[in-house]
Amino acid sequence: MNEQVNLTNCDREPIHVPGSVQPFGFLLALVSDFTICMASENAPDYLGGDIGGLLQKPIAAVLSPAGVAAIRSRVDYLSGPDAVERMFGIDLLGKGRLFDLAIHFSGAYLVVEAEPSLIESGANSGELVRLMLGRIRKTTSMADLAQEAARQLKLLTGFDRVMVYRFHPDGSGEVIAEVAGPGLEPFLGLHYPASDIPRQARQLYQRNWLRIIADINAAPAPLLSTPVHNAGLLDLSMSVLRAVSPIHIEYLRNMGVAASMSVSILRDGKLWGLFACHHYAPHHLSFEKRTAAELFGQMYSWLLEARERETDIAYETRAHHIQERLIERAAAQAHSKRAILDFVADYRQMIECDGIAVWSDDEITLDGETPTEAEVQDLIGFINRTSPGRICASAEIAKIYAAGEAFRARAAGFLAIPISRTPRDCLIFFRREMLRSVNWAGDPHKTYSEGPLGARLTPRKSFELWQQTVAGQAKPWTAADLRIAESLRVTLLEVILQLSELAARERRGAQERQELMIAELNHRVRNILSLVRGLVAQSKDTANSVEEFAAILGGRIQALARAHDQITNLNWAPVALRHLLESEAGAYLGARAGRVRMEGPDVALDPKAFATLALVVHEMMTNSVKYGALADSTGQVQVIWRLDPGASLVIDWKESGGPPVQPPSRRGFGTTIIERSVPFDLKGDAEIRFDLLGVQARFVIPANFVQIVPAITGAPAHHHAKQESARLSGTVLIVEDNLIIAMGAEVILLELGARHVETAASVNHALKAIERALPSFALLDINLGAESSLPVGYRLKELGVPFMFATGYGERAPLPAELSDAPIVQKPYTRELIEKALSKFK
C-alpha cells in the first residue's frame, strides 16, 4: 500500500544525505589516517586517473605535498560540530591549477571539497563587503534596510532577482524586499506556505549560512565508497557541494528558475529569514565571492538584530520609567487591592493593547475593548487550569481557547500576568482582531497528489496570485512585550508584599518572600543581560568589518551605556577633534555648551584614535558634570590642543570655578579608561591630576593618528538620497569593468534621480542590456581592459540615448569624431563631476 501524500512528506525527505554532489566541484572523504574512503564520481575529471585509483589511497599519493599540508594545517581549526575551514588558491596537484577548498568533519570522516578557483579581476571581497555595509548602514527604516541590502547583494552576485524573505512563526514566509531585473514579474509582498521550505531545510539554513545551486539541470555526481563504508549515508549538512533534492529541483523548474542561492539571516541564533537569489540561466559564483556574500549575510544579521534591539530597548525603557513611577505612587496606597486597581491606565501605557482586565480579590475591573465580565471570568478559569502561576499569551485566542471564538472581534489576542502566588489574581491585556488580506504565491490550501517521484509531495506548479482574508488574529506579542510583562509581574508582587497587612505577610511566610527574591533576581539579571546584548548589538552597528568590531567593542561597551547614549557618529574616516568635543559638550550642557572653551588648530583623528579618545572625553565630561567644574553654575572647562615638534597632538584639559576637588578614594572603571586607554591603544601618554582648584589632564596622541586639515568644521557631511536637482529618471546603464567603481557610480546616479541602474562589465553584456530594456541615460568607461566601450556609444547614439564617457585621461581622452560631442568625466566618479556633465544635456 502506498503512503498517502500530504504536506509532511517533504519534512521527512533526507536532504542532508543525498549521496551525490553538484558537479562544479568534487568531494573526497578521508578516515583518520588520511586515506580516501569515499569520492565523488567526477573527482578523476579534476585529479586525473580513474575512480578506482582514488579509493583506498592515501591522500598524499593523490595530491601534491603543498595541497596535503594545506589541508592538514586547517584540521586543527575545526573546533565545533558545524565548523568549516576554507582555503583559496591552493595548487592541489602541483601543476599550477588552483583550487578553492572547504573542509569539515562529518562524523568520523574528514570531508574535503574542492572546486577550480575563479580569478576575478578588480574584486576585493573584503572591500566589497565593507562598502556594502556602509551603504546599508545609512538607511533609517527597517524596510529601507532590507531593500538596500537586497540591492547590494544583487550587485555583488549578479543574480537576476534578489529577495529578502522573512519567516513567520508558523513557518510560512513573506517577500519583504526585492530587487529584480527589468521585465521580471515582482514577488514583493507575496506569501509562501511553510511546505515550500520544509522543516529540515530550515534547520540546514540555520546551520549553514549559504547554499548555492549553480545549475538545476546539471547531473549530480554520485558518491562512491570502498566496501566497508556507505557513501549513501554520508551526512552532507555542512557541505558546499551537496546535491539538490529532486523535489526542490522540480519546484525551481516550475518557477522557471535555473540557478539559485540563499544566504541565511539569523537573529539570536534562530532563522529569521533568507536572502533568496534567483537566476533564469545557469549561474555560478566563485567560492571567494560566495564567502563575501555569506559574510555580508552575517553582518546584515547583526545589524538587523541591533536595529530591532534598539526599538525593543526604547519600548522597554519607557515601560520601566512608568513602572518606577507606579512603585512610588503605590507607596501612598492604603492596601494592596487599590495599589493594583488604581493604575490600570499605567498598565496600558506599558504594554501596547486595546483593553485590559484586572482580576483581584474576586472582582473584575475592565478598561478599553475587552470581553464581558462573564467571558473574562471563564477565560481566567481556563488560564488558571492550563497555565497556573505563569505568563500566558496568544495572538489567536480561538486556537487555544475554543470559547474565545465568540469574542475574537473584540479580543483576538490576550496576554495574562499572574500577580499573586496562587493562580487567582491576574492582569489580562487584550488586542483586537486585525483583518488583513494576504497575497499568496498560489493557493496554500490546494489539493496535492502523488507525483512521479513516488509517495512524496509533488511540488506545486501554480504560483498565480491567490488572495486570502485572515481573520481571528491579533498583532503578535513580541519578546519585548513578554519581558515587560515579567518585569511588571515582579513589580506588582513587590507592591503587594510591601503594602499587605503584617498578618497577611506572616501567613504567606517565607515561601512568598523567597519567590519575590527569586523573581526580583531574575528581573535584575534579565535587565543586565538585555543591556549588555543591546550594547553589543549597537557596537556591531558601528563596525565596518569583523576586525573593526572586535577592536572597538571592548572599549565602547562602557561608553554606550543607556544613560549616555549620545556619542559621536563615526564614519571611519578622519574626523575633527573639535567635532568630538562639541558633541560631548552639547550632549551634557545643551545651550550652555559654551562653558567648555576650545582652542587649537584644525586637526582630524584617525578612526581608531577617534574612537579611543571619544571614550576618554566621555568619561572626563561625565566626571566634570557630576563632580567637577561643570557641576557648578560658574565653573568652566578649557580644552587647548597643539602639535608638538614631533607632530604629536597634545591636549590639555583644565577645569576651574567649580567646587573644591576631592581626589577619588579608589580607581574606578572610568578613571582606568582615562589613564590607560590612550597609552594602551595608541601608545601615547595620559596624565590626570586632581588639583584642589580644578582637575587638570594632559593627553598626547602620536603623530601617526593625527592629520592637519584646514577649515574642518565637523564630521563628513552625508548626502541625502533625495536631491532637489535630480536630472535623471527611468533606467540608467553603467558600463564599467571594475565592480567597486561601478558600485560607487550607481549610488551617485540613484541620488540624481535614476529609478533603476543596470551594470555591465563588457560590450557584449552592455549591448544585451540595451536590447532588453532601453535606458534613459548611460555612463560608459572608455577602457574596458581588452576592449573599449565605443561600440556601445555608437549604438546609443543610433538609438538617441544620451550618454557620457568616463576615463582616467579626462578631457584628453581620444574619441572618434562621431562621438566627440559626448561629455567626458574624469575618474574617480564624484557627484559634482557627473552633475556638471549632465548640465551639458539640454
Side-chain angles (χ1 to χ4, degrees):
M1 177 181 243
N2 288 336
E3 176 188 5
Q4 182 179 0
V5 177
N6 56 57
L7 294 180
T8 66
N9 295 145
C10 276
D11 285 338
R12 297 197 298 272
E13 186 184 13
I15 60 175
H16 62 298
V17 286
S20 57
V21 296
Q22 297 182 68
F24 63 79
F26 67 91
L27 179 147
L28 303 175
L30 316 178
V31 291
S32 59
D33 63 356
F34 267 55
T35 298
I36 301 173
C37 64
M38 302 180 201
S40 58
E41 189 176 55
N42 66 338
D45 297 342
Y46 297 94
L47 302 177
D50 55 54
I51 193 69
L54 290 176
L55 296 176
Q56 293 186 322
K57 270 194 173 183
I59 191 72
V62 175
L63 305 183
S64 67
V68 175
I71 294 172
R72 287 186 179 275
S73 67
R74 292 299 184 96
V75 172
D76 290 340
Y77 291 95
L78 297 173
S79 56
D82 291 343
V84 178
E85 282 294 312
R86 305 169 188 192
M87 294 159 278
F88 302 97
I90 305 299
D91 187 357
L92 281 184
L93 303 177
K95 298 178 180 179
R97 187 182 184 188
L98 303 182
F99 289 84
D100 297 335
L101 275 66
I103 64 172
H104 71 278
F105 279 113
S106 177
Y109 303 105
L110 177 65
V111 177
V112 178
E113 298 174 277
E115 57 187 89
S117 298
L118 297 179
I119 308 301
E120 297 173 305
S121 60
N124 181 324
S125 297
E127 179 66 8
L128 287 175
V129 172
R130 189 187 69 81
L131 290 172
M132 293 165 69
L133 291 171
R135 303 254 164 79
I136 67 174
R137 287 180 60 241
K138 293 179 181 179
T139 61
T140 54
S141 69
M142 298 299 286
D144 290 343
L145 175 69
Q147 185 68 21
E148 182 62 21
R151 191 177 73 85
Q152 292 296 322
L153 196 61
K154 183 179 186 301
L155 189 60
L156 172 69
T157 63
F159 276 90
D160 290 333
R161 184 195 305 271
V162 176
M163 300 166 283
V164 178
Y165 183 85
R166 179 171 188 176
F167 287 106
H168 295 305
D170 63 357
S172 65
E174 176 185 1
V175 178
I176 64 170
E178 176 187 45
V179 179
L184 292 179
E185 176 190 359
F187 290 172
L188 183 64
L190 291 183
H191 289 65
Y192 293 79
S195 58
D196 278 15
I197 303 180
R199 183 182 300 108
Q200 78 274 34
R202 295 195 293 271
Q203 291 172 347
L204 288 180
Y205 284 135
Q206 190 165 303
R207 297 176 59 193
N208 207 333
W209 280 87
L210 186 140
R211 169 72 162 153
I212 187 169
I213 303 172
D215 183 359
I216 68 168
N217 295 314
L223 298 182
L224 305 176
S225 63
T226 58
V228 296
H229 300 277
N230 189 337
L233 297 180
L234 181 64
D235 188 336
L236 296 181
S237 295
M238 302 307 297
S239 166
V240 299
L241 298 176
R242 174 166 49 86
V244 190
S245 154
I247 290 181
H248 188 52
I249 290 290
E250 188 176 350
Y251 179 88
L252 293 175
R253 187 173 289 120
N254 290 346
M255 292 187 73
V257 175
S260 73
M261 187 179 78
S262 62
V263 183
S264 301
I265 303 172
L266 305 184
R267 181 177 176 186
D268 294 329
K270 303 297 183 182
L271 188 63
W272 182 94
L274 300 169
F275 287 104
C277 309
H278 287 174
H279 210 69
Y280 298 92
H283 189 59
H284 178 59
L285 295 181
S286 69
F287 196 16
E288 184 173 4
K289 187 166 283 189
R290 300 200 311 268
T291 300
E294 179 178 333
L295 176 60
F296 177 74
Q298 292 173 344
M299 299 302 291
Y300 175 83
S301 297
W302 287 330
L303 180 56
L304 172 75
E305 184 175 341
R307 293 277 178 93
E308 292 187 344
R309 185 74 60 186
E310 288 173 3
T311 302
D312 288 349
I313 288 175
Y315 181 36
E316 293 179 55
T317 299
R318 181 174 64 94
H320 181 67
H321 291 330
I322 296 171
Q323 188 172 308
E324 288 179 340
R325 294 198 303 269
L326 184 151
I327 294 176
E328 293 173 0
R329 290 158 53 196
Q333 298 294 336
H335 53 81
S336 60
K337 179 179 177 180
R338 291 253 52 91
I340 295 173
L341 297 179
D342 285 356
F343 304 118
V344 170
D346 296 279
Y347 306 147
R348 292 190 61 182
Q349 292 181 42
M350 294 178 66
I351 297 178
E352 181 184 346
C353 66
D354 298 303
I356 190 171
V358 181
W359 173 258
S360 179
D361 289 345
D362 296 324
E363 293 184 15
I364 293 178
T365 302
L366 303 178
D367 187 67
E369 293 188 45
T370 68
T372 65
E373 287 193 12
E375 290 169 338
V376 170
Q377 191 164 355
D378 290 342
L379 175 61
I380 291 171
F382 168 78
I383 292 170
N384 286 338
R385 289 192 305 272
T386 58
S387 304
R390 300 196 307 271
I391 290 176
C392 177
S394 173
E396 192 170 358
I397 192 169
K399 266 195 172 182
I400 65 171
Y401 177 58
E405 182 72 26
F407 55 80
R408 73 178 195 188
R410 288 167 284 144
F414 77 94
L415 189 159
I417 306 174
I419 55 175
S420 62
R421 185 173 61 85
T422 58
R424 180 186 57 176
D425 298 344
C426 65
L427 301 180
I428 308 179
F429 295 83
F430 294 102
R431 285 179 179 171
R432 69 167 68 96
E433 178 183 46
M434 291 178 57
L435 289 175
R436 56 193 177 95
S437 179
V438 175
N439 292 328
W440 293 91
D443 183 354
H445 306 302
K446 65 183 294 185
T447 303
Y448 292 79
S449 59
E450 186 171 332
L453 298 174
R456 295 185 292 179
L457 180 67
T458 298
R460 55 199 176 90
K461 297 181 180 179
S462 174
F463 294 89
E464 294 181 1
L465 181 65
W466 190 88
Q467 289 189 324
Q468 176 192 28
T469 299
V470 177
Q473 295 181 5
K475 180 181 178 181
W477 304 99
T478 66
D481 290 325
L482 298 179
R483 287 193 294 269
I484 294 172
E486 174 61 23
S487 178
L488 179 59
R489 184 182 78 87
V490 171
T491 296
L492 292 178
L493 282 173
E494 182 177 351
V495 169
I496 291 171
L497 286 180
Q498 288 177 349
L499 301 178
S500 292
E501 296 177 356
L502 178 61
R505 288 203 299 262
E506 290 176 350
R507 283 195 300 269
R508 294 189 189 98
Q511 186 173 0
E512 275 200 357
R513 288 196 293 273
Q514 182 183 28
E515 179 186 10
L516 174 64
M517 293 174 61
I518 293 173
E520 184 69 19
L521 177 61
N522 286 337
H523 171 56
R524 303 305 179 195
V525 171
R526 191 172 287 108
N527 280 348
I528 293 171
L529 292 177
S530 177
L531 174 61
V532 171
R533 284 190 59 83
L535 297 179
V536 170
Q538 292 177 45
S539 294
K540 294 171 187 172
D541 192 22
T542 64
N544 287 331
S545 69
V546 174
E547 291 76 17
E548 291 172 347
F549 165 69
I552 66 175
L553 175 58
R556 294 194 65 198
I557 199 167
Q558 291 293 334
L560 288 178
R562 283 185 298 179
H564 303 283
D565 58 356
Q566 296 295 321
I567 192 167
T568 302
N569 180 31
L570 302 180
N571 289 311
W572 298 102
V575 184
L577 170 62
R578 188 181 300 273
H579 177 70
L580 166 62
L581 296 168
E582 289 174 347
S583 297
E584 284 294 325
Y588 281 98
L589 302 176
R592 298 176 292 113
R595 292 174 59 191
V596 180
R597 298 175 53 198
M598 289 166 263
E599 180 181 341
D602 288 319
V603 295
L605 298 177
D606 175 270
K608 179 180 179 181
F610 187 83
T612 299
L613 195 60
L615 297 177
V616 174
V617 171
H618 176 84
E619 292 297 333
M620 292 294 296
M621 201 72 73
T622 299
N623 290 342
S624 183
V625 169
K626 287 183 176 180
Y627 316 111
L630 299 180
D632 190 282
S633 60
T634 61
Q636 288 190 340
V637 173
Q638 188 175 31
V639 185
I640 302 174
W641 63 91
R642 59 184 173 84
L643 297 174
D644 68 10
S648 293
L649 179 64
V650 180
I651 304 171
D652 287 310
W653 177 290
K654 300 179 180 180
E655 299 186 16
S656 61
V661 174
Q662 297 292 331
S665 59
R666 63 181 183 85
R667 287 292 190 267
F669 182 80
T671 306
T672 302
I673 285 290
I674 294 170
E675 294 179 335
R676 299 185 60 187
S677 291
V678 171
F680 186 85
D681 292 337
L682 307 179
K683 305 302 184 288
D685 294 319
E687 176 188 2
I688 183 170
R689 302 189 309 277
F690 297 94
D691 295 347
L692 180 64
L693 299 180
V695 172
Q696 312 284 313
R698 171 169 290 184
F699 307 98
V700 180
I701 311 299
N704 57 305
F705 294 109
V706 183
Q707 292 186 19
I708 301 176
V709 183
I712 290 180
T713 58
H718 297 280
H719 291 298
H720 297 286
K722 183 177 180 181
Q723 299 291 334
E724 294 182 358
S725 60
R727 295 184 171 88
L728 297 176
S729 63
T731 297
V732 173
L733 174 65
I734 296 176
V735 182
E736 169 63 65
D737 62 340
N738 186 294
L739 182 57
I740 295 177
I741 295 176
M743 291 172 69
E746 179 183 6
V747 171
I748 294 173
L749 296 177
L750 288 171
E751 289 179 348
L752 290 174
R755 294 290 301 276
H756 175 74
V757 176
E758 183 85 7
T759 302
S762 67
V763 170
N764 184 42
H765 289 163
L767 294 176
K768 287 182 179 179
I770 293 170
E771 295 306 316
R772 187 167 57 247
L774 188 67
S776 63
F777 178 77
L779 175 61
L780 312 179
D781 179 15
I782 294 179
N783 186 1
L784 298 176
E787 58 182 350
S788 77
S789 63
L790 296 181
V792 184
Y794 285 121
R795 180 57 177 158
L796 291 172
K797 185 170 184 179
E798 178 184 338
L799 295 171
V801 176
F803 63 93
M804 67 175 67
F805 286 111
T807 178
Y809 296 98
E811 296 294 337
R812 294 173 295 155
L815 288 177
E818 300 89 335
L819 302 177
S820 59
D821 57 344
I824 301 175
V825 295
Q826 173 79 44
K827 288 185 179 181
Y829 300 122
T830 67
R831 178 191 173 91
E832 291 73 18
L833 283 175
I834 293 179
E835 197 166 18
K836 181 180 178 182
L838 282 173
S839 67
K840 299 179 182 179
F841 294 99
K842 296 183 180 179

